[in-house]
Amino acid sequence: MPRNILFIMCDQLRWDYLACAGHPTLRTPNIDALAARGVRFSRAYVQSTICGSSRMSFYTGRYVDSHGAAWNNFPLKVGELTLGDYLRPLGRRTVLVGKTHMAADVEGMARLGIDPNSVIGTRVTECGFDPYERDDGLHGSGPAGRYDPRPVPYNDYLKAHGYSGDEGWDDWANAGEDEQGNLLSGWFLKHARRPARVAEEHSETPYMTRRAMQFIDEAGDEPWCLHLSYIKPHWPCIAPAPYHDMYDDDDVPAPVRDVSEKSAPHPLFDAFMQSRVSQAFSRDEVRQAVIPAYMGLITQIDDQIGVLMKHLEQKGLRDDTLIVFTSDHGDYLGDHWMGEKDLFHEPSVRVPLIVVDPTPAADATRGTVCDALVEAIDLVPTFVDACGGEAQPHRLEGRSLLPWLHGTPPTAWRSHAISEYDYSATPYAARFGIPSLDARLFMVADHRWKYVHAPGFRPMLFDMANDPDELHDLGADPAHADQCNALQTVLTRWALRNAQRTTISDARIASMRGASLKKGILIGYWDESEVPDEVLHAKWRGARGY
Amino acid sequence: MPRNILFIMCDQLRWDYLACAGHPTLRTPNIDALAARGVRFSRAYVQSTICGSSRMSFYTGRYVDSHGAAWNNFPLKVGELTLGDYLRPLGRRTVLVGKTHMAADVEGMARLGIDPNSVIGTRVTECGFDPYERDDGLHGSGPAGRYDPRPVPYNDYLKAHGYSGDEGWDDWANAGEDEQGNLLSGWFLKHARRPARVAEEHSETPYMTRRAMQFIDEAGDEPWCLHLSYIKPHWPCIAPAPYHDMYDDDDVPAPVRDVSEKSAPHPLFDAFMQSRVSQAFSRDEVRQAVIPAYMGLITQIDDQIGVLMKHLEQKGLRDDTLIVFTSDHGDYLGDHWMGEKDLFHEPSVRVPLIVVDPTPAADATRGTVCDALVEAIDLVPTFVDACGGEAQPHRLEGRSLLPWLHGTPPTAWRSHAISEYDYSATPYAARFGIPSLDARLFMVADHRWKYVHAPGFRPMLFDMANDPDELHDLGADPAHADQCNALQTVLTRWALRNAQRTTISDARIASMRGASLKKGILIGYWDESEVPDEVLHAKWRGARGY
């Protein structure tokens, strides 16, 4: 059994921006080495295409529709169990270094009298983790104040290292400068090819890696689960030297898009295509500026994973540590005339997922690729399984991936992957007159089809076998109505799943069958002759002289 | 606006066992008087046909599929809001006298560090109420111990009034005696016509009524919501004199059933028909013994409601108090060859519901009957509305009934009622090989049809227009496949409702639209020329000299 779990997450890293996943020009030798030691899941889907809600599914093992934190900064309900709640009873100190995008249910905590500064309150606030260092990596500020009001130790770190002012993240790490040394903000896409204004060692990725190594050193012999959660390659997209010019125009893949996508598009796809960020990434100039920096940031992460792996080896932890490498969602990068994420084309909803199990049980599958449909919610059950815990299907909706790693594939694996997106906080809900609670999209994908249910609109449908680039939306085509209906039926079955009966296990329910009779609850008995003797005796004869 | 709310619930009282609902022989003049002062909702459905989960829906305003407490003693999740959470901020002390059938989420409370003996812990344990007197009214015991391990003040009361032993509920209030004074247990149906072994004034219904009046007296000027929750006419079915022989064989309505129901029945209906209690209530002997006692217990409740109404009047509270009278589910009483409840025929799933609004706004509808499809989950929103609170559709799934009382019916009321039943704790899940999490039934009823979705089985379907007694299950009839499909589509829409996004209101979400830009999150901006000046200024120029 692995002693430790190292759960590495990137932010906004597409599934195909790794050399081991087939990227033609990107260099990721250390991540590739993880894939060679473990299993790479080539069809891994996130439960939502936006940071906060995707992560809440990663951390709870539950669909967004189940935990309800459906968008960034929608608080996670105080009662939801998270990774730490599952792993602490299994003896793993569960710690965070980096980002969660968690919004605490402050109202719920107040209602239940939970002091946010207590140990329990901190965990409820910090997504179930003991925060070794929390940094969501988004420290913008404007006329309405700071986006993230928490303290930023990284800003203090930069200041201590000679970067002036209190906003080092914004002014140095995520900015460049012109020839006169003036700040050129990394928020502006046109600056993406400039070097960031920090020495590489002071940039976020190495900083967080060092914090992770500090934790590992301090933890000593205590078993742990460490969530090392990088903000990069998420925007602002600007890389420190030498990563800022490691890639060039020639290294940028052509966009996956077709003008036909703009003719009679699904109204919501159309709306998203019209957004500022989509308009921007539809321009070659933007892609050519941003993608090399995005790639540089990935190679920087790869190098830091190399540093971290060497550290694990030096500490003798290599064969004791289960390692996961993944991302919270992808990035369109101009594919399908889109920027950002939000919708369900593969560049957005599909993520890298590599799992390295150091135990001999996984030897036979090292270096293999598994194309089963796996989901972000499978990680918590995987970790519970790896630590010898019992499956808890009454609250964990994913399933352990270990059977895949151990060469014993489950006979009845899921046939469809589900993802969700809540657009109630975007301008489109109001624009289309969709009530806030209905402003949701649901993806159902199998090995061939991808279907999107959009209440208030027609569905979307892609045939990934004949149209692997997802350029032809068949959702309006009467010839595919049966296919849509079949996938809608799958969605219905999913929607009727039993997701909230979380306080009682199936085993405990089974033990309740017939139990009330033995506690004297006699339903439908005409007279005493019908009652088992031991019940009758205990109820009256013995105890009270009947 | 009413100062107080008196929320009266009976247990296992069928919708049609009231004179005002058309019962031909039962006398309920005081409840009829409530109907004359308010509106009687003739098509009121509970969210589940079993005490515990039905009540959790009454108290949370949410479907069973949403709160997850799907059967008796399945704990209600620690984070679920209950009636008290909604009404206390509106200035109403929210108090319980009687039954809730709540099972506390002890594990969840321990996880969150909530002391069960604190004020908050007590409310979490007691279904959100401040318990003035909690008594679930089921105090059986047997070889496996007590069904309800809590202290029973009513047993102490009986003892203090000369009823010997510690089990007065079981040995006196719910027992009769033979000519020699020996105990004849009220659990045995054959004893139902005997008088209970307590003086009427010491039986449960007057005891709880007095406790309610004591609370009202003590509360003084403080506004309150009092949940007076009678266990009766729930079994054990034995009434104190004179109620034990108030009704006779001639007063018992003929059973609603037909031998054809036993030919090719739905497998689950068949299984329930085979149960001990159904077999019992299929015998005339049992019905003739039990139903007169059941009716006597109802008339006793009616008399106590008379006492309570007189008390309210004497205290000057009659015109200050909104009154609800309802039940948590019905009782087959041998209809459809069934005993108990569990399935969705009208005797089981339909309940009495009378709402009296004392304010002048409701004058025009007094004494009227409303046949809109209303649900148990409508009560919390009704109370919130009555107390001047805002609607909270992001967590309350029901809707206020006040518009019906005020003669301003909502234009888009629900077209279907939903009810659920989880049979995982019954022997039938294992018998049919249905996985625990799938062992559920869903009812969808409109003004004509009643459809039951049963995963793993064919559906059930009743045409209540042409078959008002629900004797002909059309669920296997190919001629009605379209009707089944149409109702399944309604169920799908319901299943996809947004039920867990409970931590953030629609208004707050709307306020988030575009808000991150003003906190300096710039997504998709090529250069500064695209940024509104006040954002640009606050972000760099003003603050940091850009």
Side-chain angles (χ1 to χ4, degrees), chain A residues 37 41 110 112 250-251 287 328 355 384 431 505 536:
Chain A
R37 278 181 62 205
F41 291 91
L112 294 175
D250 297 345
D251 298 314
R287 296 184 78 255
D328 64 347
V355 184
V384 169
R431 185 180 308 167
S505 69
L536 198 66

Side-chain angles (χ1 to χ4, degrees), chain A residues 167-189:
Chain A
E167 301 291 345
W169 182 91
D170 217 359
D171 290 353
W172 296 98
N174 289 282
E177 59 186 30
D178 65 14
E179 289 60 32
Q180 287 73 47
N182 295 314
L183 183 152
L184 299 172
S185 171
W187 288 102
F188 298 126
L189 305 173

